[in-house]
Amino acid sequence: MLRGVLGKTFRLVGYTVQYGCIAHCAFEYVGGVVMCSGPSMEPTIQNSDIVFAENLTRHFYGIQRGDIVIAKSPSDPKSNICKRVIGLEGDKILSNSPSDFFKSHSYVPTGHVWLEGDNLQNSTDSRYYGPVPYGLIRGRIFFKIWPLSDFGFLRDSPNGHRFSDD
Amino acid sequence: MAHSQGWVKRYLKAFCKGFFVAVPVAVTFLDRVACVARVEGASMQPSLNPGGSQSSDVVLLNHWKVRNFEVQRGDIVSLVSPKNPEQKIIKRVIALEGDIVKTIGHKNRYVKVPRGHIWVEGDHHGHSFDSNSFGPARSTTVTHVLQKSNHTEVGCLQALTQVP
């Protein structure tokens, strides 16, 4: 009786470890489903939306300007942030609001990206903590699953004028 | 004839079953717990690679210890290079956030390490691409902490001021 229970427990632990490892490999190297929270990417991504993220682009260093990425938060290492890539290395970034009389600008250093949320008024992003190292990017979001009224590929940035690098 | 076909089918089934267990478990272990790597370069002499290009050290990279990004002063860590994300560099942690560092060859003589950052230096000063070149590094780019397989004990730290 005891041997039967022990055998069953070992089998259960074995299956859990095996499927846990398969899940880790899938999330790390392919992609997964992510739930986003916070208002910083409105209107593109609302609070509690469920999106699909893929990690292949990051491993092949193919992140482009305009991609929405998930990255490790520079302020809190245990959480992730979800922002749009505004500038890659070498790009000129206009800092502060366009209404400033003297526009100040800076260049994104090599190996870093400049992230901004779509909801510029309510987003803590690179304007607050500076350029983010490329190594902190975890994956790229490209498809929204929930809510069903917004099902489909994600829209371009509503702040299109931010992308100029001249 | 039918007997040997059954044998092949059973062999393939066993192989696939073993494959789908072994590969994910191995990959997860190498990602999350520890892996082994060869050290290249002279920036950590004499602690690592004292023999130069003749013999590269092989080290155990421990991920599990830094899964919460907690490092101590004096640890040798591997981090994603701030200039080139495809490369990992191995340096020693000199200072943690809040400490004041006396730099060698940096544009400011004294630097206070900001929150969420660490100051890393190679042991071979002058031959090392480290925080003296690129400034403080974010502690979330640290991937592993080193455990040496052989060679001499690592020496003591350079003097620095610690702000509590």
Side-chain angles (χ1 to χ4, degrees):
Chain A
M1 224 290 264
L2 185 65
R3 276 183 69 180
V5 169
L6 223 58
K8 278 206 177 75
T9 317
F10 275 129
R11 241 201 311 266
L12 183 67
V13 169
Y15 278 131
T16 315
V17 168
Q18 182 191 352
Y19 288 120
C21 293
I22 293 179
H24 163 86
C25 290
F27 284 130
E28 186 74 24
Y29 295 104
V30 180
V33 177
V34 178
M35 188 174 103
C36 301
S37 59
S40 61
M41 282 298 291
E42 285 174 2
T44 320
I45 300 178
Q46 318 276 352
N47 196 15
S48 316
D49 276 0
I50 300 182
V51 295
F52 205 79
E54 54 93 2
N55 296 336
L56 299 164
T57 322
R58 161 182 79 112
H59 278 114
F60 293 117
Y61 302 101
I63 300 280
Q64 315 273 348
R65 263 177 232 106
D67 283 346
I68 304 180
V69 295
I70 300 180
K72 268 190 261 186
S73 163
S75 19
D76 174 20
K78 303 217 180 75
S79 62
N80 295 324
I81 56 171
C82 166
K83 303 280 178 234
R84 197 182 285 272
V85 174
I86 300 294
L88 300 173
E89 59 189 20
D91 288 351
K92 184 157 75 170
I93 298 291
L94 294 159
S95 25
N96 304 324
S97 55
S99 60
D100 280 351
F101 189 72
F102 291 110
K103 293 196 169 89
S104 54
H105 60 259
S106 54
Y107 288 92
V108 181
T110 46
H112 291 65
V113 294
W114 188 270
L115 301 178
E116 277 180 17
D118 283 350
N119 190 358
L120 288 171
Q121 275 91 353
N122 201 355
S123 163
T124 340
D125 45 38
S126 285
R127 294 170 296 163
Y128 173 71
Y129 41 66
V132 175
Y134 190 99
L136 294 186
I137 295 180
R138 318 289 297 136
R140 183 179 76 105
I141 297 180
F142 67 104
F143 200 84
K144 197 194 287 204
I145 302 177
W146 188 268
L148 292 171
S149 55
D150 220 0
F151 190 88
F153 290 101
L154 291 169
R155 288 184 288 267
D156 281 341
S157 169
N159 311 314
H161 65 274
R162 305 283 301 172
F163 282 139
S164 69
D165 56 341
D166 45 38
Chain B
M1 214 51 196
H3 180 74
S4 68
Q5 272 178 350
W7 171 84
V8 168
K9 224 172 172 181
R10 266 186 292 131
Y11 179 80
L12 281 174
K13 219 169 157 186
F15 180 82
C16 283
K17 225 171 148 188
F19 186 81
F20 279 108
V21 173
V23 168
V25 173
V27 169
T28 307
F29 184 86
L30 292 175
D31 276 349
R32 296 257 162 166
V33 181
C35 60
V36 174
R38 184 178 285 266
V39 178
E40 282 171 23
S43 63
M44 284 297 289
Q45 283 179 350
S47 322
L48 294 175
N49 275 5
S53 44
Q54 271 85 19
S55 59
S56 301
D57 280 0
V58 174
V59 293
L60 178 71
L61 295 169
N62 188 340
H63 178 86
W64 188 255
K65 241 174 153 183
V66 289
R67 64 190 189 280
N68 291 323
F69 305 105
E70 280 154 8
V71 289
Q72 311 295 329
R73 293 180 196 88
D75 281 351
I76 304 180
V77 295
S78 145
L79 57 147
V80 178
S81 166
K83 287 293 179 230
N84 181 5
E86 297 178 32
Q87 218 180 30
K88 294 212 176 53
I89 55 177
I90 297 184
K91 301 285 176 254
R92 191 185 296 273
V93 175
I94 301 292
L96 303 176
E97 63 186 20
D99 293 348
I100 299 177
V101 186
K102 185 168 175 199
T103 66
I104 305 163
H106 193 66
K107 53 178 172 5
N108 301 326
R109 197 78 198 284
Y110 291 95
V111 170
K112 179 160 184 201
V113 182
R115 215 167 68 93
H117 289 67
I118 52 174
W119 188 271
V120 294
E121 277 179 18
D123 286 349
H124 196 178
H125 296 301
H127 286 239
S128 169
F129 176 65
D130 52 27
S131 284
N132 289 314
S133 313
F134 50 72
R138 284 199 194 269
S139 47
T140 39
T141 54
V142 170
T143 56
H144 304 89
V145 70
L146 245 67
Q147 239 109 39
K148 291 251 330 264
S149 58
N150 52 1
H151 290 273
T152 51
E153 272 302 310
V154 291
C156 54
L157 295 174
Q158 298 292 326
L160 51 84
T161 335
Q162 294 177 17
V163 179

